[in-house]
Amino acid sequence: MRVASVAGLALLAGLLSGGGSAADETTGPAGFAAACGAEDSDTGTVTAGVGVAVDVPATGEVGRPVQPGPVTLTVTLSRADLAELLPEGTEAFVSRAALKVEVAQNGDSAEASWELHAPSTPLPADGDVALVHSGDVPYVTLGSAGDVDFSVKELTIELRAATAEPEKTAPPLTTVMCRLKEGENGHLATTRVTDGAGTDPSGTSETPTTPKGGSGRATDKDIAVEPATAEGDEDPDYCPVEPPVGEVDASEAPQPPPGDPVSTFENPNPQASCANAAGLANVFKMDGAMIINDPADHPALVSVKTLTHVTSRPPDAAGGYYIRIDNLANLELPDADSTFLAFGFQPVTAKVSFENSPITISTGNVGTEAFSTAYFHQSLRLHDVEINGTPLDVGSNCRTSKPFKVVLNGGAAYVNVGVGGRLDGEVTIPPFTGCGTGGEDLNPLFTASISGPGNRVFMNQASTCIPTNPENSYCPPPPAEIPGEERAQ
């Protein structure tokens, strides 16, 4: 609520910028009419227009998460009706929305709560007011094949006047309940879930089972909405509270074209969040690749501070529109296991440790073209090396001679840091140093077999989770398919 309205609108522009989605189906916005009124109030109800736009996969598999999102919820009220719901003298306000969504399949149903937020919105003098909420939502896991319907059942909005120092002057809170008017079914989307072998769903539920990753709370149903842990599984990774540290460096992102000066907003209170990410790193000379941050082996979370800076310039006569949203991230990668055929015939296994500098993730638009860039420096260290099953002592400091630059680009495929997406690039690995013990110099061996240009890197980031939001503190897993179909080519 400290962020000025213009910055809030800039954030919204960043959330909506960029094209494409990992989802197979984009619905909406679905439009409904709702009757809304203040909770515990005798002032009656008012009519609101409700629009929901959400990306939903067209197909899914039994036991694997179906991830709706991102979600944009627009609630439109007349200025007069909205003013009745706000404290007298309100000039700007913030709002939070909770959509109750029914997830139904084969006669069973469960309820999902979609928590969404809107930036600070000024109260105009007249006309209609659109409250635009957005955010990420929990995934759903199904234990049986069959069509799954997502439908809006109810909407709760919390309105609060925006103040400069909300922690010192707590503004009054208004809770507004909205129910769909008669004749509105609230349907959003349908996902066809198969048994994983491509078999068409029969529409008849088999004996319910608790899917892996399901909550276990809906034991009488075959639908798990909340991303919790099934019995016997390890505890999931929840977003840590430690935010990333370091300085933003957006030098590798597209810069403003020549023209009018740009303005930069520095956010004094960026949101701390986390995300899962996984990928592949090719080693060109080895004609192979290794998995980075393996989802099956205790992956690390990316720690993110969102919207640290917003740099923008309004459109000019030549169409020189520009906006860039910078985010700061840290990622302490676990060791990666690698197996290659050195020189085309000798099997070599090793563990690779990574040292990363702070990561700057920038998204935005230059004119009508969306961009996304992640930029950082990285060093590699090799250890636990074996050649044809025989240990090779490389010492404790066998590493690249210097950090190397990593620049990953996603274009419009990486929507924004909140939604995530795919990024890829190419790196040049420096020569190795410090390899060998007892006077044996193994630097030339690793430099000859690994160092050089042409090494492709592919990363896929899942949507973020927020430690201060109980409804969104669980981090969704990265996409099931690790990017890099071009691996070792």
Side-chain angles (χ1 to χ4, degrees):
M1 295 182 343
R2 295 181 182 179
V3 182
S5 298
V6 64
L9 294 175
L11 170 60
L12 179 61
L15 290 173
L16 299 181
S17 69
S21 169
D24 298 316
E25 175 187 344
T26 302
T27 67
F32 315 105
C36 303
E39 189 178 42
D40 301 325
S41 174
D42 298 327
T43 57
T45 61
V46 298
T47 298
V50 178
V52 182
V54 55
D55 292 344
V56 179
T59 60
E61 293 182 11
V62 170
R64 301 187 71 172
V66 173
Q67 176 69 72
V71 178
T72 300
L73 166 70
T74 304
V75 181
T76 304
L77 292 160
S78 71
R79 197 273 183 201
D81 288 340
L82 185 58
E84 289 292 325
L85 300 171
L86 293 167
E88 186 177 355
T90 298
E91 297 180 354
F93 61 94
V94 293
S95 62
R96 182 176 66 176
L99 272 175
K100 287 185 179 180
V101 177
E102 182 183 69
V103 184
Q105 182 198 47
N106 301 333
D108 289 334
S109 65
E111 185 179 280
S113 179
W114 291 4
E115 298 285 342
L116 308 168
H117 298 263
S120 177
T121 304
L123 190 63
D126 53 29
D128 292 337
V129 185
L131 284 65
V132 182
H133 306 78
S134 59
D136 303 312
V137 298
Y139 60 76
V140 179
T141 309
L142 291 307
S144 295
D147 286 353
V148 182
D149 292 318
F150 295 82
S151 301
V152 173
K153 308 309 289 185
E154 190 176 272
L155 168 63
T156 302
I157 305 173
E158 291 181 352
L159 300 172
R160 193 185 294 272
T163 63
E165 299 178 302
E167 70 279 3
K168 295 183 180 179
T169 308
L173 176 69
T174 301
T175 301
V176 180
M177 302 294 297
C178 298
R179 292 178 174 83
L180 300 186
K181 287 194 170 183
E182 187 176 354
E184 301 278 12
N185 64 15
H187 182 260
L188 292 176
T190 299
T191 297
R192 169 154 292 195
V193 175
T194 66
D195 60 7
T199 305
D200 288 335
S202 64
T204 302
S205 176
E206 300 174 356
T207 303
T209 58
T210 302
K212 181 177 177 61
S215 67
R217 297 188 181 185
T219 54
D220 58 331
K221 301 181 177 69
D222 215 4
I223 305 171
V225 173
E226 296 178 332
T229 307
E231 185 177 354
D233 285 348
E234 297 179 359
D235 290 336
D237 287 326
Y238 285 86
C239 184
V241 296
E242 292 296 329
V245 295
E247 297 294 330
V248 166
D249 181 356
S251 59
E252 293 293 330
Q255 300 300 305
D260 296 334
V262 298
S263 61
T264 299
F265 169 78
E266 184 171 349
N267 188 359
N269 189 30
Q271 175 71 63
S273 59
C274 302
N276 272 302
L280 287 170
N282 284 353
V283 179
F284 177 74
K285 289 182 177 179
M286 293 284 198
D287 195 29
M290 59 183 173
I291 299 177
I292 304 298
N293 210 28
D294 189 347
D297 190 20
H298 306 290
L301 290 171
V302 182
S303 178
V304 183
K305 280 198 299 189
T306 60
L307 189 67
T308 59
H309 299 85
V310 177
T311 303
S312 61
R313 188 179 70 197
D316 56 23
Y321 170 74
Y322 179 84
I323 185 170
R324 189 187 76 237
I325 297 177
D326 299 325
N327 313 272
L328 184 68
N330 284 162
L331 177 57
E332 296 183 5
L333 287 168
D335 290 354
D337 293 313
S338 62
T339 300
F340 299 101
L341 288 176
F343 308 110
F345 69 93
Q346 189 70 265
V348 177
T349 62
K351 289 187 178 295
V352 182
S353 297
F354 306 88
E355 296 175 4
N356 293 337
S357 71
I359 305 169
T360 297
I361 303 174
S362 301
T363 59
N365 287 80
V366 180
T368 59
E369 184 175 353
F371 68 83
S372 55
T373 302
Y375 171 52
F376 58 102
H377 286 84
Q378 184 177 80
S379 295
L380 304 179
R381 183 175 70 87
L382 304 179
H383 56 98
D384 295 334
V385 179
E386 293 185 358
I387 298 180
N388 201 24
T390 301
L392 175 66
D393 190 356
V394 299
S396 60
N397 197 34
C398 179
R399 61 173 59 245
T400 50
S401 58
K402 61 181 180 179
F404 54 93
K405 181 188 296 187
V406 181
V407 182
L408 306 178
N409 291 287
Y414 185 94
V415 182
N416 56 63
V417 74
V419 177
R422 169 177 167 155
L423 295 157
D424 58 74
E426 189 171 294
V427 300
T428 297
I429 300 176
F432 279 78
T433 185
C435 303
T437 58
E440 185 178 23
D441 184 5
L442 299 177
N443 295 325
L445 172 65
F446 292 106
T447 297
S449 57
I450 298 175
S451 302
N455 305 285
R456 300 288 294 171
V457 178
F458 309 89
M459 292 297 292
N460 215 337
Q461 179 210 309
S463 57
T464 57
C465 50
I466 303 172
T468 57
N469 182 354
E471 296 291 337
N472 193 27
S473 62
Y474 178 84
C475 291
E481 293 186 4
I482 299 175
E485 59 274 13
E486 306 90 341
R487 59 186 290 180
Q489 293 185 3

